[in-house]
Amino acid sequence: STSGVPIFYYVHPTLSALSNLGDKHESVIISTQQTLAVLDAEGGEAINITGSGFSALAKLDPSALSLLRIRFGAFDAPVIQRSSDSFVNAISPSGSEGQSMVRVSLNGQQYSPGELPVMYV
């Protein structure tokens, strides 16, 4: 741009699997392709998130890694570790009992169109 403000274009990240690390609840297999992570409604459980493109924006601007967000329903979850372009760990926020959808954002504002379900109990 002529104003000196950089504009970045990137492909949205994708989610392929979620699994909880805690011992409170077991994940449930819902198909041969997908497992449903079962989470405590009080939150606070460590979650493995697998997908692709988690560092796509950081390749253009290294400071962008701090903008990575995982959203459970309407609530953002703290990302505690990004191990690679395809693997992050987060802490689940509290949620209402029932199913919620998980999405990812690289810029803290626009969330990926792809989502995966989790079950709060």
Side-chain angles (χ1 to χ4, degrees):
S1 88
T2 58
S3 67
V5 176
I7 298 173
F8 298 111
Y9 295 94
Y10 60 91
V11 176
H12 280 289
T14 60
L15 295 172
S16 58
L18 302 169
S19 60
N20 50 330
L21 300 174
D23 56 0
K24 290 183 180 181
H25 305 286
E26 295 283 330
S27 293
V28 177
I29 297 172
I30 57 174
S31 74
T32 57
Q33 303 283 321
Q34 193 174 19
T35 301
L36 180 65
V38 180
L39 305 174
D40 193 303
E42 293 178 11
E45 290 191 66
I47 305 296
N48 283 334
I49 301 160
T50 306
S52 64
F54 295 149
S55 60
L57 191 56
K59 291 175 185 174
L60 302 170
D61 179 4
S63 67
L65 276 179
S66 65
L67 299 176
L68 179 64
R69 301 283 187 273
I70 307 296
R71 181 166 281 175
F72 288 69
F75 301 101
D76 285 345
V79 173
I80 55 174
Q81 180 181 16
R82 187 192 62 82
S83 302
S84 70
D85 187 55
S86 60
F87 187 80
V88 296
N89 295 104
I91 301 296
S92 66
S94 60
S96 300
E97 289 187 7
Q99 186 170 299
S100 186
M101 300 307 283
V102 177
R103 299 171 69 197
V104 64
S105 172
L106 297 182
N107 63 11
Q109 297 177 21
Q110 288 115 354
Y111 284 79
S112 62
E115 52 191 20
L116 289 175
V118 294
M119 180 64 69
Y120 279 105
V121 294

